[in-house]
Amino acid sequence: MDTYAKSKLNKVRLNKRAEYDRKTVHKIIDDGLVAHVGFVDQDWPIVVPMIYARIDETLYLHGAKAARFAKAMGKGIQTCITVTHLDGLVLARSAFHSSVNYRSVVVHGHAKPVTDKDEKIEALTLVTDRIAPGRWDEAREMTDKELRSTGVISVPIEHAAAKVRTGGPIDDEEDYDLPIWGGVVPMRQVFDPPEDDGRLAPGTQLPESIKKLLAGNSG
Amino acid sequence: MDTYAKSKLNKVRLNKRAEYDRKTVHKIIDDGLVAHVGFVDQDWPIVVPMIYARIDETLYLHGAKAARFAKAMGKGIQTCITVTHLDGLVLARSAFHSSVNYRSVVVHGHAKPVTDKDEKIEALTLVTDRIAPGRWDEAREMTDKELRSTGVISVPIEHAAAKVRTGGPIDDEEDYDLPIWGGVVPMRQVFDPPEDDGRLAPGTQLPESIKKLLAGNSG
C-alpha cells in the first residue's frame, strides 16, 4: 500500500496540508538528521533530539540519551518521532496570515532496543552515513566493545502523516492594495568550511564524505 | 535565582553537557524559531513543531495545531517544549565517537490557553517579530476577529535544562595515528534572497525586518 492509513493518531486537522503517501513521508524523514522523539515518563511527555535513520518501515534512533529512554522500555513503549524542515518565512501583509514554509512528519510506533547484532550494525552504518555520506566505511572499524555499549532503538512506523506548507502568503483580498511587502524568505541549512582538529596524521586528506556534504550546499 | 532547580524531570544524564543557568537556557530558547512541543493524548506522546516566543519565564506557543493541543487542556496539561540548534557535524576517526555539535533546551510546564487580550497581543507581537524582527509593526493591524480566532498557549517554565556540545571529536588516543580525517563541519541556517509574491502594491519596498534577517546571514 502506498499510503499510511488514517487513524485517530495521525489524522491532521488542517487537511489541505496533510499527506499520507509513503514516498512523501519517507523523503521528509530521509532529508533530516535529528528527530524530536517523544515518550511518556510518569505522566510527563519527554521530547529529546536524537540522530536517526530509516530502513524501510522502521526508524532507528541513536544517542547517549537512548539510555534514559530505553530504561522506560520493556516490551516496547509508545513513541512519537517528529522530523521538521524549515524551508522559509512567509511574510503576509497581515500578521494573522504570516507563517512558515515547512515539511514535517509525525510517526507513532512502539520503541524497542535493538539486540540483534547484524541489525544493530546495519542501523549504525546508516546513522553514521547520515552524519556524512559514506562515513561508516571511512572511519576506523567499530569494535565489539563499542558495539555493545552503543544503544540503538527501533521504532516500526505504525502511524505516519506528513504536513507540508509551500508557496507565498495568502492574504485577504483587500490587503493586496496595502504598501506592505508580501512574499517568502527561503531558508536552508548550509555547511561552512570543515575545520580539522589539528591532530591529523601526516598526509591525511579531506574525505569524500565531507566533499559530498559540501557539494550539497548549493541545493 | 540564576539557575533552574534540578529535578527528576530535567536532570541530564551526561552531566558534563548539562547547563541549568537561566541565561544559557534563555539564549538557546531565544535563538530558535520552531520548538517541538510534546504532550500526552490517551497514553500516546504527540510531538508537533510550533512557533513560539518567550516572555520572562513563560513560553507562548502559536499555530493552527494549537487547536488539537488545546482541546486536551482543561486546567493545564503537562507539556514538554524542546528547542534544538544544530551547530556542526563532529567527524571522529571512529564512528563510535562521531557526534553532532548542538545546543538544546528541554522545558517542562503546564500549558494553558491565553484568554487575557493584552497578554495575547503581547505574545503574538513577539511571535510575529520572531518570524522577522519588527514585523508586527510593519504588518496590517490585527483585527479583533483575527485575535479571537488565533490560539495562543502559555507554558510557565517549571523545569528547564540545556545541553550543549561544542568543539572537535574526542578520539581514542591510539586512533590519532590513523590517516583518517577528524574535525568539525560547522552548520548554520541561512536565508536566501526574498521572493515577493508578485502582488506588491506599486512602490512597495523590501521592509527593514527582512533586511535585518539578511544582515544576520553572516553570523
Side-chain angles (χ1 to χ4, degrees):
Chain A
M1 210 175 51
D2 289 338
T3 59
Y4 292 100
K6 271 187 223 187
S7 71
K8 203 170 46 85
L9 267 176
N10 70 341
K11 201 178 158 205
V12 175
R13 208 189 56 89
L14 260 178
N15 273 312
K16 64 174 176 172
R17 290 187 191 154
E19 312 251 7
Y20 297 94
D21 78 272
R22 287 181 197 276
K23 254 197 198 165
T24 304
V25 167
H26 289 174
K27 176 79 169 68
I28 293 170
I29 290 172
D30 295 347
D31 279 352
L33 176 64
V34 166
H36 282 81
V37 180
F39 58 103
V40 184
D41 191 5
Q42 298 169 67
D43 293 338
W44 278 94
I46 313 269
V47 179
V48 289
M50 291 174 83
I51 301 179
Y52 68 94
R54 179 184 68 84
I55 302 177
D56 300 328
E57 294 296 326
T58 301
L59 296 183
Y60 290 91
L61 306 172
H62 170 266
K65 287 155 226 136
R68 177 183 190 176
F69 188 61
K71 240 178 67 183
M73 296 191 299
K75 55 187 184 297
I77 65 156
Q78 288 151 310
T79 303
C80 180
I81 301 173
T82 300
V83 174
T84 305
H85 307 284
L86 281 181
D87 295 327
L89 306 172
V90 181
L91 281 83
R93 289 150 184 88
S94 62
F96 184 69
H97 288 297
S98 295
S99 186
V100 292
N101 281 336
Y102 65 95
R103 291 161 291 143
S104 74
V105 162
V106 176
V107 166
H108 282 96
H110 289 79
K112 272 193 265 198
V114 175
T115 50
D116 179 77
K117 189 179 166 181
D118 290 339
E119 187 182 7
K120 206 172 184 181
I121 290 174
E122 196 185 351
L124 285 172
T125 303
L126 281 172
V127 165
T128 306
D129 283 353
R130 292 188 80 120
I131 295 179
R135 186 61 183 169
W136 179 266
D137 285 337
E138 289 173 359
R140 186 260 291 148
E141 205 175 342
M142 188 167 271
T143 64
D144 277 348
K145 193 185 162 198
E146 288 175 339
L147 195 60
R148 279 193 304 273
S149 67
T150 303
V152 177
I153 288 163
S154 70
V155 185
I157 304 180
E158 295 163 21
H159 307 268
K163 277 188 72 180
V164 175
R165 196 214 183 275
T166 58
I170 311 292
D171 270 303
D172 293 338
E173 202 49 44
E174 62 271 27
D175 286 345
Y176 287 104
D177 295 332
L178 299 171
I180 300 173
W181 194 92
V184 171
V185 185
M187 298 166 78
R188 67 195 157 96
Q189 205 143 34
V190 294
F191 298 105
D192 283 327
E195 299 162 357
D196 72 61
D197 62 3
R199 297 198 58 182
L200 299 188
T204 302
Q205 301 293 316
L206 199 69
E208 285 305 312
S209 62
I210 297 183
K211 287 182 195 162
K212 275 183 203 156
L213 276 181
L214 298 177
N217 253 352
S218 55
Chain B
M1 209 176 49
D2 288 337
T3 58
Y4 291 101
K6 271 188 221 185
S7 71
K8 204 170 48 83
L9 267 176
N10 70 342
K11 199 173 157 210
V12 175
R13 208 189 55 87
L14 261 177
N15 274 313
K16 62 173 177 173
R17 292 187 189 153
E19 313 251 8
Y20 297 94
D21 80 270
R22 287 180 197 275
K23 253 197 197 165
T24 304
V25 167
H26 289 175
K27 176 79 168 71
I28 293 171
I29 290 172
D30 295 348
D31 278 351
L33 176 64
V34 166
H36 281 81
V37 180
F39 58 104
V40 183
D41 191 5
Q42 300 171 64
D43 293 337
W44 278 93
I46 312 268
V47 179
V48 288
M50 291 175 83
I51 301 180
Y52 68 95
R54 180 184 67 85
I55 301 176
D56 302 327
E57 295 295 326
T58 301
L59 296 184
Y60 290 91
L61 306 172
H62 169 265
K65 289 155 224 133
R68 178 185 190 174
F69 188 61
K71 241 179 66 183
M73 296 190 300
K75 55 189 186 295
I77 64 156
Q78 288 151 308
T79 303
C80 180
I81 301 172
T82 300
V83 174
T84 306
H85 306 285
L86 282 181
D87 295 328
L89 306 172
V90 181
L91 281 84
R93 288 149 185 88
S94 62
F96 185 69
H97 288 296
S98 295
S99 186
V100 292
N101 281 337
Y102 65 95
R103 292 161 290 143
S104 74
V105 161
V106 176
V107 166
H108 282 96
H110 288 78
K112 272 193 265 197
V114 175
T115 50
D116 180 77
K117 189 178 166 180
D118 290 340
E119 187 182 7
K120 205 171 184 180
I121 291 173
E122 197 185 351
L124 285 172
T125 304
L126 281 172
V127 165
T128 306
D129 284 353
R130 292 188 79 120
I131 295 179
R135 186 62 183 169
W136 180 265
D137 286 336
E138 290 172 359
R140 186 258 292 147
E141 204 175 344
M142 190 168 268
T143 65
D144 278 348
K145 193 184 161 198
E146 288 175 339
L147 194 60
R148 279 194 303 275
S149 66
T150 303
V152 178
I153 289 163
S154 70
V155 184
I157 304 179
E158 295 163 20
H159 307 268
K163 277 187 72 180
V164 175
R165 195 212 183 277
T166 57
I170 312 291
D171 270 302
D172 293 337
E173 202 49 44
E174 63 270 27
D175 286 345
Y176 286 104
D177 294 332
L178 298 170
I180 301 174
W181 194 92
V184 171
V185 184
M187 296 166 80
R188 68 195 158 94
Q189 203 141 37
V190 295
F191 298 105
D192 283 326
E195 299 163 357
D196 73 61
D197 62 3
R199 296 197 58 181
L200 300 188
T204 303
Q205 301 292 317
L206 198 69
E208 285 305 312
S209 61
I210 296 182
K211 288 182 195 161
K212 275 183 203 155
L213 275 183
L214 299 176
N217 253 353
S218 56

